């Protein structure tokens, strides 16, 4: 395959739900393709003909996965970057105009100047982590039901229950090991995992759930991340009617994991314990107080990942 040999070729990719806007610098070449198998195939075919130094893609948490996977399979050098870093770069060079085409050019310029580290991201591992966390939660539910049965069933059947509990315990441990291996296989995952685990109450499983179910963590503002998880209070108003604020929607997998993490955090994390006790003392129902603490946890985790600051530094 003949490749166009041009030194320091940097590619910027602006990712949308339906289209990919691609700018090749310094050739000044621009192409727009559909964000589907056919369009991605066209883009990869073109990029493989070039000697590319780096392809930079902003992380959206969803829409870039197929393109990143294609780059990985084609052995093209790519870097998945935080959109906030690109936005700050735009401010530093005085770029204000904003279109998909201009954004692609900006990302290519960012790639050339900043030279972000190449990613070793394996998109398929995100799905593996999500599936493993989901299955682990199912095993935990089965374990709880069997433990409850052990308390009420006669001794004649308890040996059967204990046998099942032994199997479940081994399976849960096996999945914990698999999650640890998946995280350690990728520097990006490992760095993010260590960062969020610096918060008391967040363990390896919670970190894996955040990485797989909430890849946008660190890329949104406080209101957006709370709404995405489903812990943001929503107003119920119509005309003169004003109902109580409620939480709804969001990603229940993340919310469930963080709810359990909060139950642990309130035992070892003074910040969340104080918040919970203050809300309960003010007359809030316990469940409402816990959800409020989860919302606080999500917002803090988001800012920790965004700023690359561990818990001790963030809390100081």
């Amino acid at each position: 395959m003949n490749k166009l040999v041009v030194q320091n070729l940097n590619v910027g990719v602006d990712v949308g739900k339906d289209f990919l806007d691609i700018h090749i610098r310094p050739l000044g070449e621009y192409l727009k393709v559909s964000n589907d198998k056919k369009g991605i195939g066209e883009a990869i075919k073109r990029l493989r003909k070039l000697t590319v130094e780096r392809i930079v893609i902003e992380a959206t948490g969803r829409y870039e996965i197929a393109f990143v996977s294609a780059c990985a399979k084609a052995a093209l050098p790519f870097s998945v970057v935080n959109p906030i870093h690109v936005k700050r770069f735009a401010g530093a060079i005085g770029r204000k105009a904003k279109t998909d085409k201009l954004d692609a050019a900006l990302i290519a310029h960012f790639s050339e100047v900043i030279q972000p580290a190449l990613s070793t991201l394996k998109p398929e591992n995100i799905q593996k982590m999500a599936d493993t966390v989901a299955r682990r939660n199912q095993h935990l539910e089965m374990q709880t039901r069997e433990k409850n049965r052990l308390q009420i069933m006669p001794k004649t059947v308890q040996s059967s229950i204990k046998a099942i509990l032994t199997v479940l315990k081994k399976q849960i441990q096996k999945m914990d090991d698999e999650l640890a291996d998946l995280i350690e296989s990728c520097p990006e995952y490992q760095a993010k995992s260590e960062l969020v685990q610096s918060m008391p109450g967040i363990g390896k499983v919670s970190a894996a759930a955040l990485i797989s179910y909430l890849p946008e963590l660190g890329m949104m503002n406080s209101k957006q991340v709370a709404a995405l998880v489903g812990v943001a209070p929503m107003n119920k108003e119509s005309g003169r009617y004003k109902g109580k604020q409620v939480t709804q929607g969001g990603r229940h997998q993340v919310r469930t994991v963080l709810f359990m993490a909060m139950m642990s955090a309130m035992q070892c994390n003074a910040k969340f314990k104080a918040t919970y006790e203050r809300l309960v003392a003010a007359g809030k129902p316990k469940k409402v107080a816990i959800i409020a603490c989860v919302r606080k946890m999500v917002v803090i985790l988001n800012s920790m990942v965004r700023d690359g600051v561990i818990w001790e530094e963030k809390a100081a």
Side-chain angles (χ1 to χ4, degrees):
M1 182 183 293
N2 294 325
K3 289 191 176 184
L4 179 59
V5 180
V6 178
Q7 296 297 320
N8 301 323
L9 275 181
N10 285 271
V11 180
V13 183
D14 183 65
V15 180
K17 180 180 180 181
D18 299 315
F19 296 99
L20 299 173
D21 291 88
I22 302 171
H23 183 94
I24 304 170
R25 182 184 175 97
L27 298 181
E29 182 178 339
Y30 167 77
L31 59 151
K32 188 183 189 78
V33 299
S34 55
N35 192 2
D36 55 22
K37 186 175 181 180
K38 181 180 178 181
I40 291 171
E42 293 174 5
I44 296 297
K45 183 178 180 181
R46 173 56 184 147
L47 294 173
R48 289 186 68 181
K49 293 180 179 179
L50 305 171
T51 304
V52 175
E53 181 175 330
R54 187 181 287 98
I55 302 168
V56 170
I57 310 106
E58 285 186 322
T60 67
R62 294 164 291 174
Y63 304 135
E64 82 278 7
I65 296 298
F67 180 72
V68 167
S69 297
C71 286
K73 289 178 182 178
L76 289 169
F78 66 92
S79 179
V80 181
V81 301
N82 191 325
I84 291 175
H85 297 163
V86 178
K87 185 177 181 180
R88 289 172 179 169
F89 175 76
I93 64 174
R95 177 68 63 85
K96 294 183 179 180
K98 184 172 176 62
T99 65
D100 293 339
K101 184 175 181 179
L102 288 175
D103 282 348
L106 172 67
I107 296 169
H109 191 187
F110 170 88
S111 174
E112 182 181 85
V113 174
I114 304 301
Q115 298 181 5
L118 295 178
S119 298
T120 56
L121 189 66
K122 296 180 180 179
E124 65 272 16
N125 282 358
I126 294 180
Q127 188 60 51
K128 286 181 182 178
M129 269 195 285
D131 293 341
T132 303
V133 170
R135 186 57 180 158
R136 184 183 186 278
N137 288 338
Q138 291 171 357
H139 279 351
L140 285 174
E141 291 174 3
M142 287 188 281
Q143 186 183 59
T144 299
R145 287 198 292 267
E146 289 301 304
K147 285 182 177 179
N148 290 337
R149 292 187 182 108
L150 190 63
Q151 302 298 319
I152 61 174
M153 295 297 288
K155 291 184 178 180
T156 53
V157 297
Q158 285 187 359
S159 60
S160 171
I161 297 173
K162 289 178 180 178
I164 292 174
L165 284 171
T166 299
V167 172
L168 289 172
K169 183 179 180 180
K170 289 180 179 179
Q171 285 296 312
I172 291 169
Q173 183 58 55
K174 181 182 178 181
M175 290 178 181
D176 286 347
D177 294 339
E178 289 175 358
L179 288 171
D181 290 342
L182 284 168
I183 289 173
E184 290 176 6
S185 70
C186 176
E188 283 100 327
Y189 296 160
Q190 193 169 13
K192 197 171 188 177
S193 177
E194 290 174 357
L195 199 63
V196 299
Q197 283 190 66
S198 70
M199 174 185 283
I202 298 292
K204 290 182 179 180
V205 175
S206 301
L210 287 167
I211 291 170
S212 56
Y213 288 131
L214 194 63
E216 303 94 334
L217 191 69
M219 302 172 191
M220 299 170 287
N221 61 38
S222 299
K223 290 183 179 179
Q224 289 171 332
V225 72
L228 195 59
V229 175
V231 290
M234 302 294 181
N235 291 328
K236 294 185 69 175
E237 298 181 2
S238 179
R240 295 183 178 179
Y241 172 77
K242 292 186 178 182
K244 293 182 178 179
Q245 289 184 326
V246 297
T247 57
Q248 58 186 15
R251 298 180 186 171
H252 67 89
Q253 304 98 326
V254 184
R255 193 165 56 252
T256 300
V257 168
L258 291 181
F259 190 91
M260 297 305 296
M262 181 51 63
M263 301 304 290
S264 172
M266 287 190 299
Q267 305 301 316
C268 61
N269 191 315
K271 181 184 284 288
F272 295 124
K273 183 179 181 180
T275 300
Y276 173 77
E277 291 177 347
R278 175 175 55 80
L279 291 170
V280 171
K284 298 290 184 182
K286 291 183 178 180
K287 185 176 180 179
V288 172
I290 293 173
I291 291 174
C293 289
V294 171
R295 180 166 61 250
K296 187 181 185 74
M297 173 182 272
V298 170
V299 169
I300 294 175
L301 285 169
N302 185 64
S303 63
M304 285 169 60
V305 174
R306 180 194 64 212
D307 301 333
V309 179
I310 65 173
W311 168 259
E312 288 82 3
E313 294 174 354
K314 197 73 186 176

